[in-house]
């Protein structure tokens, strides 16, 4: 079954705690007794075959999905069906999607300014300054006045990262951020994520980019059938996976690399 | 003895036109706003609310507008609510328009990719902001051709208000025609006035569409 662990160097309370989380879609059980604890600045890579519950797991953290049993606590706030608690948690948790999901009727800059103004109550000037700072940081500051459709996929995904960062979240969730990209654009997005990791952001990434996992992950978590089957530091996980399903999975994806 | 179609008669048509325009505006604005509520209720979590809206839409789309006008105009009178003709007519048109515009809004909202709502939700935007900043501006673009098409129908449809004695453009035309015995001339003018209302709307809609298409 699953196990709970924290990064070895952590002394404070974990930032995210999931305890015995169970989730059903109708009669299909998507998460089975998931336990996970993530410390501040920790980088987690979640992998596993499709339908294993990875995306569902991270979508429960900011309550894009509800769950039926167990508990999730983010930075001391319990994510229940209480809308106030959910609102608080969403302010602290940034999310990047596979399909970017930029708002197409707004410029890049407006995309980045919307949430700080509407949620944090920032002034326009503050929001714009923050937006420009993060757009520069993802090396796209010179495209601020363009519309998303005028950008490449890789550029759009970097804007999506900047948009999430503008809320100055404590955690960033990445849901297969490079899966919809053409191969030549994967690197620019991964480099952005690596930069973020080096700056100490707490990150949970659902990804099949094993090079990225090796380089930045503190722990790799392997899921199948809604369960966490294995978690280990990347070098251990890639060299000597324990669970047969993990061995099979690694065999399949590494065959293409 | 015979009245000739002159300036006075034309001016009378224009007072009818004023009511046609007013009634169209009230019906479109009222129906648009009520339609938004219809769309929200039609897609609500509550199954009871959804079913109630399906029934509401079925009734107002599935019965003649003429009948709805009668029911509101005479029906309200029967239960003791005395309304001026224009108010009764405005209510009937608003209810009717809300059933059609509600479905247009719903279709447009549901045509948006799910990711748009998810991204807005994940950013922590409250419901009002999700609607106002993210969903409605995109949905309005999608809805625009259908909504303008409906507006054009609505302008012409207001002529039905004549049936309860409301003197709008078509009714005014009828009156002038029976005074002047020049139906071809009078209704020709009436038709031209309707056309000059509706055609610019259609043109404007096509322009907007082209503009949105260019903006991507």
């Amino acid at each position: 079954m699953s196990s709970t662990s924290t990064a070895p160097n952590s002394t404070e309370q974990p930032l995210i705690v999931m305890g015995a989380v169970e989730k059903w879609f109708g009669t299909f059980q998507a998460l089975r007794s998931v336990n996970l604890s993530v410390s501040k600045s920790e980088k987690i890579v979640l992998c596993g075959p499709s339908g294993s519950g990875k995306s569902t797991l991270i979508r429960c953290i900011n309550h894009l999905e509800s769950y039926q049993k167990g508990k999730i606590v983010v930075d001391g706030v319990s994510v229940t069906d209480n809308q106030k608690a959910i609102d608080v948690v969403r302010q602290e948790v940034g999310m990047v999607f596979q399909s970017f999901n930029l708002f197409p009727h707004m410029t890049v800059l407006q995309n980045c300014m919307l949430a700080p103004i509407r949620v944090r109550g920032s002034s326009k000037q503050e929001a714009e300054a923050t937006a420009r700072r993060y757009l520069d940081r993802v090396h796209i500051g010179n495209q601020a006045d363009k519309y998303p459709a005028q950008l490449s996929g890789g550029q759009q995904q970097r804007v999506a990262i900047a948009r999430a960062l503008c809320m100055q979240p404590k955690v960033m969730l990445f849901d297969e951020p490079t899966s919809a990209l053409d191969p030549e654009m994967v690197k620019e997005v991964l480099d952005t994520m690596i930069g973020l990791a080096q700056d100490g952001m707490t990150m949970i990434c659902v990804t099949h980019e094993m090079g990225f996992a090796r380089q930045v992950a503190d722990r790799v978590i392997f899921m199948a059938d809604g369960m966490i089957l294995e978690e280990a530091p990347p070098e251990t996980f890639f060299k000597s996976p324990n669970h047969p399903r993990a061995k099979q999975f690694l065999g399949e994806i590494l065959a293409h690399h | 003895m015979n009245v000739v179609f002159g300036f006075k008669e034309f001016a009378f048509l224009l007072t009818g036109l004023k009511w046609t325009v007013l009634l169209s505006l009230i019906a479109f604005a009222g129906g648009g706003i009520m339609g938004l509520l219809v769309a929200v209720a039609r897609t609500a979590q509550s199954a009871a609310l959804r079913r109630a809206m399906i029934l509401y839409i079925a009734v107002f789309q599935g019965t003649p507008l003429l009948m709805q006008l009668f029911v509101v105009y005479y029906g309200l009178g029967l239960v003791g609510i005395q309304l001026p003709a224009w108010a009764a007519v405005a209510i009937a048109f608003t209810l009717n328009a809300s059933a059609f515009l509600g479905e247009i809004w719903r279709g447009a909202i549901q045509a948006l990719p799910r990711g748009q709502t998810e991204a807005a939700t994940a950013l922590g935007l409250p419901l009002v902001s999700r609607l106002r900043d993210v969903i409605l501006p995109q949905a309005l673009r999608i809805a625009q051709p259908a909504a303008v098409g409906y507006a054009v129908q609505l302008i012409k449809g207001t002529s039905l208000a004549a049936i309860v004695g409301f003197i709008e453009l078509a009714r005014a035309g009828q009156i002038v025609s029976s005074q002047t015995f020049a139906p071809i001339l009078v209704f020709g003018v009436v038709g031209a006035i309707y056309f000059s209302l509706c055609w610019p709307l259609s043109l404007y809609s096509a322009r907007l569409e082209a503009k949105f298409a260019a903006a991507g």
Side-chain angles (χ1 to χ4, degrees), chain A residues 59 62-65 83 87 90-91 93-95 97 99-106 111 114-115 118-119 147 149 163-164 167, chain B residues 112-138 141 214-216:
Chain A
R59 289 163 60 90
N62 63 354
H63 210 269
L64 280 188
E65 302 284 357
Q83 191 59 44
D87 289 342
R90 283 179 181 154
Q91 291 187 30
V93 179
M95 190 169 206
F97 300 87
S99 47
F100 327 138
N101 297 347
L102 294 178
F103 306 132
H105 58 299
M106 297 183 191
N111 263 277
L114 179 64
R118 293 277 190 252
V119 184
Y147 285 89
R163 179 175 70 176
M167 283 294 284
Chain B
L112 288 185
R114 234 172 86 100
Q116 289 293 307
T117 316
E118 286 190 347
T121 306
L123 283 168
L125 294 175
L127 178 66
V128 173
S129 166
R130 292 204 299 264
L131 282 174
R132 187 181 61 179
D133 298 318
V134 178
I135 296 171
L136 290 184
Q138 297 187 66
R141 286 185 192 190

Side-chain angles (χ1 to χ4, degrees), chain A residues 94-143:
Chain A
M95 190 169 206
V96 174
F97 300 87
Q98 180 176 350
S99 47
F100 327 138
N101 297 347
L102 294 178
F103 306 132
H105 58 299
M106 297 183 191
T107 64
V108 163
L109 191 64
Q110 289 167 337
N111 263 277
C112 293
M113 289 167 61
L114 179 64
I117 289 174
R118 293 277 190 252
V119 184
R120 294 248 192 253
S122 304
S123 69
K124 271 202 167 159
Q125 291 83 344
E126 278 177 278
E128 182 172 344
T130 310
R132 292 205 184 272
R133 192 164 77 239
Y134 283 111
L135 287 171
D136 283 339
R137 187 161 150 190
V138 302
H139 306 296
I140 208 151
N142 54 346
Q143 317 272 11

Side-chain angles (χ1 to χ4, degrees), chain B residues 26-89:
Chain B
I26 292 173
F28 193 76
I33 292 165
M34 241 186 96
L36 198 57
L37 301 178
V38 168
V40 170
R42 175 73 181 73
T43 51
Q45 299 259 316
S46 151
L49 197 54
R50 280 202 311 268
R51 267 188 230 119
M53 277 307 120
I54 290 172
L55 183 69
Y56 175 89
I57 291 162
V59 167
F60 279 97
Q61 289 196 349
T63 58
L65 178 55
L66 192 58
M67 191 213 76
Q68 294 164 23
L69 278 167
F70 278 139
V71 168
V72 173
Y73 186 66
Y74 296 112
L76 287 179
L78 280 180
V79 296
I81 305 171
Q82 290 298 333
L83 284 178
W86 70 266
V89 165

Side-chain angles (χ1 to χ4, degrees), chain A residues 16 18 24 30 42 51 79 97 102 107 112 208 234 247 255:
Chain A
I16 299 174
M18 300 178 84
W24 286 266
E42 211 184 352
V79 187
F97 300 87
L102 294 178
T107 64
C112 293
H208 292 158
K247 284 180 190 162

